Amino acid sequence: MLNGILTALLIFSAVTAAFTGRMEALSAAALSGCGEAVSLVITLTGMLCLWSGLMEIARRCRLTEALARLLHPLTRWLFPTVPQGSPAMQAISMNLSANLLGLGNAATPLGLAAMRELQKLNPHKDSASNAMVTFVAMNTASLQLIPTTCAALRQQAGSAAPMEILPAVWLTGLSSLAVVLLLDRLLRGKSRRPE
């Protein structure tokens, strides 16, 4: 579907530029946009490598286990069917930590690992478990204490104060997380199987 939307936008842009006599401007914008995209990818790749490496070091130094213990009250309430010492709970804790630090790109591999571990615990392999749905809902809400990726993008775009968005990020993150968790709890009994 996204390919169709992108193709439609490109065709619309080309037709509009042809009818308004601005094909040269369209070509210049396309070329400069390609350069900016490559620069952005390099910037984000560097940040992703740094934080992914730090997360791997934390895992090897057993800081993830300490973090899992620290987050125990929250994760026990959110994921009551997941055994506390399981690899799934450690992956969930690491993913939550990466999201809290605003490392959405670094959180993705951790989230995939958590989903693989949750699937191993899932008694109904053909559908998502309650824990899997809760985990996806929380990741979608994405509460961030430090929006690192967003701040990096703002800084690259020339912002003098890339972290000035913190109050708005906290307010929207807390609001969306509260709504997601409330709906998850309300709908859990109505539409999902008991585990």
Side-chain angles (χ1 to χ4, degrees), residues 28-145:
L31 291 175
S32 69
C34 291
E36 290 172 10
V38 169
S39 175
L40 175 63
V41 166
I42 290 171
T43 300
L44 291 178
T45 300
M47 189 177 65
L48 175 63
C49 290
L50 170 69
W51 288 105
S52 294
L54 288 175
M55 291 302 228
E56 181 61 20
I57 290 169
R59 186 187 67 78
R60 290 184 184 189
C61 293
R62 299 184 181 226
L63 290 175
T64 58
E65 294 172 15
L67 184 61
R69 284 192 301 275
L70 180 67
L71 293 174
H72 173 74
L74 176 66
T75 56
R76 174 79 354 232
W77 178 74
L78 291 171
F79 306 100
T81 60
V82 179
Q84 196 56 36
S86 72
M89 196 56 81
Q90 289 182 1
I92 288 170
S93 297
M94 288 301 293
N95 176 267
L96 291 176
S97 301
N99 277 326
L100 286 173
L101 295 173
L103 307 172
N105 294 330
T108 300
L110 298 167
L112 293 173
M115 287 300 279
R116 278 192 296 274
E117 294 296 330
L118 288 171
Q119 181 63 8
K120 291 177 186 175
L121 300 172
N122 187 1
H124 309 287
K125 303 294 184 193
D126 61 333
S127 63
S129 67
N130 289 340
M132 293 169 86
V133 173
T134 300
F135 182 70
V136 169
M138 286 183 58
N139 271 284
T140 303
S142 184
L143 175 63
Q144 298 179 5
L145 297 179

Side-chain angles (χ1 to χ4, degrees), residues 23-34:
M23 285 301 285
E24 188 174 312
L26 176 66
S27 297
L31 291 175
S32 69
C34 291

Side-chain angles (χ1 to χ4, degrees), residues 152-177:
L153 292 173
R154 287 174 48 84
Q155 184 175 18
Q156 185 174 1
S159 174
M163 288 296 222
E164 71 184 354
I165 59 169
L166 283 180
V169 168
W170 293 338
L171 180 63
T172 56
L174 283 171
S175 301
S176 64
L177 184 62

